[in-house]
Structure formats: structure tokens, C-alpha cells
Amino acid sequence: MTIMRIKFLKKLLLSCIFLLGSALHAQKVTGTVSDSTSSLPGVSVLVKGTNTGTQTDFDGNYTIDAEEGSVLVFRSLGYKTLEKTVGTSSIIDVVLLQDATSLDEIVVVGYTSQTRGSITGSVASVDMGEAMKSPVVNAADVLQGRVSGVNVVSSNAPGGAPKITIRGFGTTNNTDPLYIIDGVQTTDGNILNSIDPGDIAQMNVLKDGAAAIYGSRASNGVIIVTTKSGGYNQQKATFSLDMYSGSSQASNLPSMLNANQHMNMIKQSLINDGAALTHPQYDPNGTGTFTVPSQLLGVGQPVTVPGAGNNWPAAVTQIAPTSNVSMSLSNGSESGKYFMSLGYLNRDGILLNTGFKRYTSRLNSEFKILDKLTVGQHMNVAWSNGNSGNSESFQNALRSSPLIPVYDDNGGFAGTYSNSAGLGNSRNPVAQLYRGKNDFNKSMRLFGDVYAELELIDGLKLKTSYGISTNNFDRRTFASLDPEHSEPLGTNTLIVQDVSSFDWTWTNTLTYNTSIGEHNINGLLGVEAVKSTGVGKEVQASGYLFESPDFYTLANGGPSNVNYAYQFESSLFSIFGSVNYNFANKYFITATLRNDTSSKFLGDNKSGLFPSASIGWLASKENFWPTDIAISRLKIKASYGKLGNQDVPGNPTINQSELSKEFSFYGINGSAISTGAKISDIGNPDLRWETSISTNLGVELGFLQDKLYVSAEVYKITTDGLINRDNTIIPTTGPDANAPFVNLGEIQNTGFDLGLGFSDNTASGWSYGIDMTLSAYKNEVISLETGTQVGNSGYRGGAITRTEVGRSISEFYGRVVEGLDENGRFMYKEIDGVPGINDEDREYIGSPHADFTYGINTKVAYKNFDMSAFFTGSQGNDIYNYNKIYTDFPTFVNGNRSTRVINSWTPTNTNTSVPALSQSISNSETNPNSYFVEDGSFFRLKNIQLGYTLPKTTLDKLSMSSLRLYVQATNLFTITGYDGIDPEVIQGGNLTLGVDDQTYPFSQLFTFGVNLKF
Amino acid sequence: MKNKIVYLFILLTAVLACSDEFTEQTAFGSLSDESLKNADGVDLLLIGAYSMLDGHSATGGDDWFKAGDNWWFDVMSDDAHKGSTDGDQADLFLLETYDWGSANPYTTGKWRSLYAGVNRANAVIVQIGLVTEGDFSQQLAEARFLRGFYNLELQKIFGNVPYISEENFAALEFNQPNTGPIWDQIEADFENAVANLPNSQEQIGRATAWIAKAFLGKTHLYQSDWAAAYTSLNDVVTNGPFSLNSEFADNFKLAGDNSSESLLAIQFTADETTSFNGNRGGTLNFTGPNGYCCGFYQASQDLVNAYQTAAGLPLLDTYNTSDVASDYGINSSDPFTLHTGPLDPRLDYTVGRRGIDYNGFGTHPGKDWIRASFADISGPFMTKKNFYNNGEDANVGTGGWGEQRSGINYHLMRFADVLLMAAEAAAETGNTAIALDYVNRIRNRAKNMTYVKDVAGLDAANYVIEPYTSFPDAAYAVKAVRFERRLELGVEGHRLFDLRRWGNSASIIAEYISNEARIVTPFGVAANAYQAKHDLSPIPLNAIDQSQGVISQNTGY
């Protein structure tokens, strides 16, 4: 198919060239481009004001047709752009200076683009070249620690999407930012799973009022992804190949009791309870003498106990290979250009039989088909399949008795066998993962756009683009019979789920660019329509005769049942405009205005107006700026903007009832089931969108010819009309329906983002650099319409978090453990003054909000060697280590515990914080309390890499333009006091932050890779 | 050039014109208030309100928390132990050992499910008000009956509960104070139902005037309003369409589903595939013959002892002097001798014990069918009424993880219960003759039923049961009626609430703990003392937290 495409393109290109021809009279200019040390390949050379351009070859040479008096622009990422006027000489050699801040880089900021130096809003960009050094699966991961103000928590599960929050928690609703992928809009965080990160040219984050151009969807920030395109007037196609392979391994696995320790734990529990000293495995005859049996007792078949006991967490994990190949081809003629890529990723998970596989392909092209008319397209096709394993399996690995081996003596899976065997009731997690190996989550995703741009008069362009995004998702899970389990399944069950969604965005813009003297004006006017549609269902069937995957169709099971089926549509219509003006590139002003009309609301609440304005002053460009001081650049900027959030499902304004087989059908006539209805969603006709007022004040400083740069911003974001389901309206005394979405109150985030960078190189061939980001915010709930909000109450022991005026969103709330009493039980702090511990004896016991988070990226290069290390961390946040409910307490008595319980209270070991062992939970010790709250600060070496670039002489022999080899390691070490699996905790809902109930182990990844260019 | 701009302008205007329609969007696949504003809508919502009888709501946590058959309330009484190992369902362990916290998910789940029921009934009432044409007085009465039922359950469990009226429902004002009992509102609903419901219904699961009258009587009984209780209940006994089945055990088999003894039942149905309408709340309460999950709900030694007889009559005061022999602490491979003393034959249709046939699945082998270990608090006995009989495949339903979702109807009220409530009201008002008559109707049915047989076809144990010859005085009659309730209705979810309304929980539970500890020693060690606060369950913490202080906690928590 690829070959077909190339042929087709070539034909198209040829015909276009033929049609248009070239009427210019020009002379040939040649030259070499280099930096201080060596020649530079790939530098773009453009005749200013025209589309004539080329790139330097491997030796830095270029040839271009240019008239005398025209200006050549030399541009390369990481270097200062240079302009040279063509004189009489036909040879122009230039030397480019390195530029740490890339101020002339064109940054895509919404419907328009600006140079970095002229931006007045808070727009952060990722150095994709540097970020892509680590083996990234999801492009969002590259934002972590590299962009100040953006907090990214990676998912440990293969193919899991990371959680992104920009500048604190400004909403009680979803915090996912809006993604703009080459103009296609979505708030689906999974979208980035469908893009080969290698295809991305630029990722920019709009953090403040600058995002207001996206109006009602922008209050969580906007991430703009621009994919690579070819360049016009290339001399030959560029083919590049990036590949790596390696493996990941589990790290920081919880330390669980071995068989002997488990036996002592059980015995001590019985002693503490005053119970008879007997146990089906350790002492079946009640002699009082406990021993670890060599064979499981009372299980009806021979099962040998692994000597020291089975280390289940190790048994469910594996060394997991990873490989990735990305290749791309780009080229361009005078009238057409293209970029195409193919990507393949296969990352096995460290849990057995889990993994993520992805194929991507992309074609971006653009053609000048008429004098003033350009057409183009972007198209991304991605297929992926992820299997993150049975979600219970890792928890079961923590719960399984160490006496049980993975396999019995006959080679079948071992298990807990019978209720009376004293082996607990955890399913064999290795068996679960093995039986789930044919489960899948397949996604076929297609998105992109076609566009046409017409230049009406000089500088006035009309552009129309139609973008689509489709997703076809298929999930299959099969629950096989598990005869070795003490609670075996009665029947096997197949569940299939599919969702198919289709969104389109139609955007029409009119832009005008002009410069009159020193006045530079850039205006935009646009209309846009967005429609999202989808259907989905889940069906299950049971009673399969054969448990083999080629038999897993719904038809082969018993009668099937539709668990749910749904359809939805929503639409958004917008009109917007913006004006950028600057005078002499010293004084900048930008204003935007957007009006949105959404189908999700009613009446006057359907439409909203979102203005923004920003100003900037490049003081260092003033004539009075001294040239002899260290500060080479000073820019001051300020912005104000109003943003919205309308991310609510379906039709939140009306009451909806459902016909639910599960909840509302009933056998009213004694046998057959009758159809019934129940109210499922309470509507709120007065719902309106959230609005945020964002103000930002920033300063950009450059020192020592911009070798050192500092960028600092302070901001305040006040969000009013917080959208959230309000459970105080449908409290426990209400119907079993979803609570309505309401505009709950007001939250304020104040904070600062700091970026710092320094880079330099020495005459002796060393170059080095460091980039740092630091972000801090303070979150405060200003008002709540309906009182204190309680977080997710689905945890054992009830809600852990609550949100109250005057505090941060979602702080931990519970009892305070002050020590252990004379029986080794928790002593709780008396708070309400009424003797005895009751419900009033609770208070705030921790906050999930960090004092600050940071990232440090360092790089050193000497001649052909380069090395980089990337650190990231968080300081001052608390984590509620919910998993301790299973590992520290007898939630499942015969299950295993953490080795922490070796130090549990006994009459002779009273100096401890771990309560006395028991067969049962008492004293409400697993209800929310301070025992579970831990300091979540950490410092992590996220990525370290060592690379070697082959010298040019060798490459020439191989006919390559560049070849780099590298080794790298991810998550090499973490310094933290946190006792859980991983201090990076993916958040649940925004009213339930910082609760660690992670179910996938943490891993390290080691890879070897090659970057190759022809 | 001008043309281009004109075209552009036209295009822009056209786009703007479409936008109004473009941003109107209907909801797919869900029913709006408007679409339910008709007779079909009322009927659909009414079925939805009935479907809450099984407790299975979309809120409230795990299925067993919300059990419609109230099985785990027996665990909190002297009838049953939780079963399984102590740490399995630790929250239930806390309930059984009188370590009741307000955050216990069982209590919270039950609360939520009952309020879901109240509000589904309210939804019907409100919807009827919106439909302008047609006569819905019967549907209204059914909805009010159901609301009365759910409120009676709340009242029984929590004592001080918020009352959510249909006006509250329509205005979304669910945050109401709990300032005391809501007996008046419950009575008003049942009285309306008595007045407006037909005496019989074509669809067997629906409420009738007779059923409503029985529940009205029960409501009076719970307030010790004996005269009013007697009037209603005795009317049902003498004039109603109900009678005792000749076989006691039929009440727990297919044969008893919607039989003449059944008033209101949860119409559990083990329908195909996933049995959404099976008994999901009781899904943990299986083990033994088929090895299914999860060994919960075990009868207590105390309950078994209560079935001892002398001259065919129960040992009202001395049943705990000696114990019915049990195999506690004995493995199945070790020998065991069956108890030889005289026993009420209902024992072996109520309790599963070693050496006796278990619902047709063969002789109970003892420990091998018990999940609890000897170190756990649950003892050696199983329960039988909730467990389907071998061969009655129509009652065998399954769920997601192979759960047993039984199709055996659970009788929210059966005629034996009505007889005993009437007898109790009679005894309390000094009418010992009626009390004697009604109790003996129960005992004679038990005497004349088929007894459990051993493998040789002989009576499996020494069954001796006789009717009372007389009740010497009212006090004796009350005692005998109360005892009969326990024997007849054992492990049917009533015991805790009977003890509460009799006001003797404290002494009975204290005695129970000390007696039970004789055999099941771990229970004696683990159980905390019964306190006055245990007369009511705590208001769920989540309810209090969400109410911003409008709902107050019961005394003592």
C-alpha cells in the first residue's frame, strides 16, 4: 500500500509541477551552512516572501534559485535564524549561532501561529527532539516535568493513558485538557495513544487566557499537537528510521510474608484473639504446635508447598520485551510536499500475558494546485490492542497464601480448593492472567482533516477545513472456569463490548496579515461546528462448551444478554476572532473573542462569550537597553482570559428514566419477567458551563547572549460554576439515580511556573545544558452552593476525601491515630470533646496537593557522545495508601500480608505503629484514618540515556546522513518515603484525589535504540 | 475580488442560520418525563417500584448489603452466625460481634436500597399526578402500599428516619430531618392501600387489599398497639383468602411459590443467563453439596437448642440447659453420633446439620461442607430455607462470578406469620383462647407434615411435636407465641426485629452470647456486650455527612 501511495503521489506531484511551471527568472546561489564546529545538514533555506526553499544536504551544502536583491532565510531548530541578502556573488556561506530559546520558532497557538518571541500568553512547548529520547508510548508522557504548570501522572499499565492536569485543580469535573491534533478537537485523553509520538513536530500547551480562543472547552488548558510535514523544494526524499528494543522489569514489588512468617502471623493472630491454636494447614489437629506443611492439607490432590513459600508478586511478573519501529519518508517539490510514516510498537506488560500493541500510519500532504489555492490533508490511522490483565490479579498476588504454589503436582493450576482448607479465597493470579491472555481491547482509530486555503488578496486568506475522528472499539473478556478455586465459577462467560464514535469539526477561518511600517497586524475571524456522535453496547453469554478463543462468539454460548446499549449526540457551534498586533516587535497585544453555543444546555445557558486579552513588552529591544549588561533579553507579559468547561455527558438538563433489566424488571406474575422503568438521571435545566477567569503575569529573561534563560509566571485562575454531580441533592435518602450536574461553587488556583535553562559549548568540543521546571499552586475552595462535598464513598470504610470551603479540593478526612493502646489497638484522637470515639472525632488528616513539582533535564555531549538525564519529582503531597487495607489488616485472614506486620504490636513489642494481629478487623481500623496517610514526596530519575553518533566519514561510506546509537533506562531509581507501589498515583475523580488503589505494578525499562537517516 | 467576499459573506450567513437547529439535541434511548406521561409510563414505573422488593438498587454497594430477605439481620440476632472465616466480610463480623460502626457498608447499603424503594414508589405517585386522563387509583394504592412497606423496613431497622414524601420527591428535597418514628405515614399508606386495592390481583406478585391489611396489622403490632393489630390481623385470618400449606417445607420450594400461604413474596426468578431477578442478596449463602460460594449464614447452636421438645412441647425457659449434640470441632473423617433427644421436626427443614439429609443433596457430612474453621465464630450448622432443593433446577440461577442466585421466593409475609402476629396480639390483650388456637394451627401443621427421612426411609431423628393443651395465663401465652415465632420463622429474617419490639434484646442477647460460647468458643471470645444503642442500627455516616447536619445520629453511636 505504501508503494502504491508513493507512486500515486509522484504522479500527482509531476502533474502539478507540469501545470504550474516556474516563471521566475533567477540565478543559482550555492553555499555551505555550518555552526562553529561543523557543517549543518537539514537547514531550511527559503527565499523570503516566496515559497521557494530547499534544505542543506548532509555536508551542509545547498543550491537555490534566487534573484539578486532577494533575501535568503536560513532556519534550523536550535539555531538563531539568519537572513542574508543575495548580492552579486553566487556563493553564500553562512554560520548559524546556537539559540537556546528558539525565539523565532513558529509556534502553533490555536487557529494561527506566532513566533515564540512574540507570544504574550502562557504557552509552553516541549522540545520534542529531547523528549523523544525516552521510549514514549503516549505522547502526553513527554509533558511530564518538561513543561512547567503541567502535571502528568503516568499509568503503569501497558497502553494506559496518563492523567494530565494543567495548573492545579480548577474544576470538580474532568480535568482532561482539550487536545487539538492538527485542528481536530477532542477531550479524549486516549487520543494520544493513537499517535506515533515520532510523528509529532510540536506540542504546545496553552495554559492561560491564550486558550480562550477555544472558549467553552478550554478551561482545563489546551494541548496543541502539530504533526510533521515535508518541506517544499526538497532535493531528495528524506527517509528516517527510529527503532529501539529492550525490556522492562518489575520494580519495588511489595515485600510479602514467606510461609514461615505467614504461619507466625496466623498463630499470633489466634493468640491475640484468645482463639484455639489450630489451623487447617499449620496445625490441623489443634496440637498448638504450628509447622509449615510440605504438602497442602485437605485439598484432595497432591500439591507441594514451595519451600520458603510462593512469592506471588514475583510469580505474576515477568521480564517484558519492548520493541518499536518508526519510519518516515518526506519530500516536497515546488508545488507539493508530503510526510508519511509507519509505526509499530509492541510493549509487553510486566504482568504475565499483558501488553500493548500498536500500528500507526500517517500521511500528511499539501499541494499548491492553483496560483492562490493550497489544499492539503492529514490522516492518521491507528490500530491498537491492549490487555492490561485481570484488574484483580495483582491484588490477588498480594492476597494469596504463600503456601499455594502456582501449579499443583500434576501441572494444573493450584488454588484455594475448598472453603475449609484455610488458604483464603484469592483466585490464583497466574491462572487469571493466563486465562485472560486472549482478552482484548482493540481500537481502530482514524482521524485527520482535509483543508483548502485560498489567498483572496495579499495577506488575506480564507481557509476551510473538515476534520474527522472515528473510533471503533472492541473489547472481549472471557471468564474461564476455575475448578481449583474454593469459590469456583458456576459457568464461563463471554462479555463483548463495542463502541463506535464519529466526531467531525468543520472550521472556516479568514486571516489577514499585514505589516505597515513597524506595525504588524494579524487578524482572524472564524466559524466552527463540532459534532460528536456514538453508539455502544455490551452483550454477554454464558455456558461455553469449549474454552478456546476460536470458539468465543456470542452465538456459541447460552442465551445472550444485552448489559447495556446507548447512543449519544452532541454539538457545538462557535464564532470567534482574534487580533495580534505588535509595534516594532517591541510592544505586543493580542485579543480574542469567542461565542459558543452548545447542545448540552438549555435556553440562555446554551451560549456564552469568552474574551481574552494579553500584552507584552520586549524591553530589551528598546534603544536605551544597555548592551554591556548580562541581561540580554527581558520581556514582560500579562494576560487575562475567560474560559469555559462544558464537559458533561449527554443531556444533563433533563430527567431520564431507563428500562433496566438489572434494576427495574421484575417477575410480577410469578414467572416471566416484566418490563419496568426507573429514573436513572436527574436533570438540571439550569445547568450552565463552568467559567474560569485566568490572569497571568510573566517575565522572560535571557542572560549572556541568551545562553541562560529564565521564564517565570504567576497566575490566578478563578473558576466559578464548578460542574459536578451533586450528591447532596440526591443523597442517600434519594432515588437510586445519578445525581444531577450542578454548578457547585467557586475554586481558585494561584501559583507560579518557573522555567530555567542554560546551555553552552566549549572550544574543546564539550557542550552541556540543563533545563529545569518548577510548578507550584495553591488550591482553595471559595464557595460551595450545597455544603461540604464528600468524595467517592465506594471504598471499604467509606469516603476518604471531602471538599470544604476554605480548604483545598479533596483533602483526606478521618480519624487520627495517636498510638496503640494496651491491647495493640489504635487509639484515636478525641476531637469533639465528648468522651468516647464517635463520628465527630474526625478531622482533616492530609492533603494530596503538592507544595511543588519539578523536572530537571540535563544533557552533556562531547564530540560524538551525548548523554542526558531527566529527573522529576514532587514535594509535600500526601498519599492515602489504601492498599494497606489488604496488606496490613485481616481483610482476608488467610491471605498474605506485608512484611510490615512482622513488627506488629505484641505485649512484648509495644514500640510500633502496626496494630496487633487478629483474625478480624475491629475498632474500625480500616475506616479512613491517619495510619494510611503517608508523605508522597519523591525524586525520580525518570530517564537516562547515553548516545553515540557515528562520525561522518563512516556514514558516507554507508551512504547515510546520520546514525545514532543509544542505550537508555527509565525509572532507574526513586527516592521516596512512600511505602506503596509507586508514589505517582493516577487520580480518580477530582473529589477523590491522592487515594492509591493502584492495581498494576511499577516497572523499569531498559532499551537499546538506533536513529537512522538516509 | 468583491465577488469572493460576497460569496464568503453568503457562506457565513448560511452557516450562522443553521446553528440554532444544529445545537438542539435529543437524548437517545432514555425515557424523558414527557414520554412516561401516560398509562404505560405509570405501569413501567410501578413495576420498577416492585422490583425494589429484592433490595437490588443501582446504589448501595455489594448485593448482599442490600439483601431483600434480611438474612444478615438474623446474624445480628441469636438465630445465626455470619459463616465463612472471620475475616471474610469483616464488616459482617463487626455486626455479629456488636461492634457496630456508622460507616458499616451493610447498614449503609440497606438504607440506600430502602430509600431507592421509597423513591421509586414516589416516582409512580408523582407520575400519576402528571397524567390527566384515566383512573389510576389502583396503581396509586399499589405505589402507596410499596412506599409503606419500604418505610416500615426503614422504621424497623433505624427507628428515626427521614420521611420522603412525593412532594419532596418532585421538588428534589431529599434532605429531610429524622426527628422520630414515621408510623403515622406508614399507616396512612397502608390504609389507603386497604381502601383502594382489589381483594385479588391477576398478577400474583401485586399487592391486594388483604395483603395491605396484614401489613397494616403488622405496623400496629410493631407499635404494641395490640387492639388495632388484632383487628386487622384477625380479619385477614378469618376472612382472608390465605391458608397454611400442608407441608411446612413447601414454603421454601417451587411448590410454595405463590401458594395459599404466601401473602407478599419477593418474586425471585432464576431466569436464564445472568439471573438479575434471582436472590442476589443471598448469593454468599451457599456451600456444601456443590462447593459453591461462600459458606455464609450459619444457624446458631442456640437456635438448634430451641427445637428441643419435652412431651412434644418446646422448653420455653430451659431449652439451653442442655445442648443438641453437634459436630463442632470434629472433622468429617472423625466419628459423630447424632443427637437422640426429642426434637421439633421443623428443625431439620430449618437447619442443616451433620448426619441429616440436606435438601435432597444427601447426608450432611459435617465439617467438609462448612467453610468456617474451628477458630472462627460460626459453628457447625448451615441453614436450609434459603438453599434450593436438589432437582428443583428452576430455582438455580447464576451470576457474574458463578454466584448462586436462587429463584426461591422469599416470603416477606406468609400466613403462618399472620397467624402468629394475630396470636400475639390476642395474647397481649388477654385472649388466650385465640392465641392457643392459632399457635396450635401452626404446630399441628408441623406435626402432620412429612418429616425429614434418613437413607433407610425412616424419620431422620427423634421427632416429637404436639399442640399445646392450654395456655394457663396471658403471660404464658405471650411467651409461647413468641417462642413459636422463633421455631416457625427461624432464619427468615424476622428474629432481630421481634426481639427489638419485645424490648428484651439486651437480656436475650447476653444470654445467647454466654450460652453459645459453651460450644462455639471463638464466638464467646469475639462478641462484645450488647448495649442499649444496639436496639437501633446506626444512621449511616454517609447519610449524615451528605445531609450537612440535617440528619442526626441515633443515641449511642
Side-chain angles (χ1 to χ4, degrees), chain B residues 164-182:
Chain B
I164 309 298
S165 67
E166 63 266 31
E167 290 84 7
N168 296 149
F169 177 88
L172 301 184
E173 289 166 351
F174 298 107
N175 197 9
Q176 299 294 326
N178 58 335
T179 47
I182 56 169

Side-chain angles (χ1 to χ4, degrees), chain A residues 100-112:
Chain A
T101 50
S102 321
L103 295 169
D104 292 321
E105 188 189 354
I106 300 292
V107 178
V108 181
V109 288
Y111 300 92
T112 56

Side-chain angles (χ1 to χ4, degrees), chain B residues 326-392:
Chain B
S326 86
D327 62 331
Y328 184 68
I330 300 173
N331 283 310
S332 291
S333 51
D334 299 325
F336 168 71
T337 310
L338 201 60
H339 186 74
T340 54
L343 294 168
D344 185 320
R346 285 173 291 182
L347 168 65
D348 290 328
Y349 286 120
T350 306
V351 177
R353 58 191 183 111
R354 181 165 176 180
I356 306 287
D357 174 76
Y358 189 81
N359 288 6
F361 289 98
T363 304
H364 192 304
K367 180 69 186 80
D368 282 355
W369 283 7
I370 302 296
R371 183 167 189 182
S373 80
F374 298 141
D376 297 315
I377 64 170
S378 292
F381 300 110
M382 289 164 64
T383 52
K384 276 184 158 177
K385 289 176 172 176
N386 57 303
F387 206 117
Y388 39 73
N389 276 257
N390 194 16
E392 296 205 334

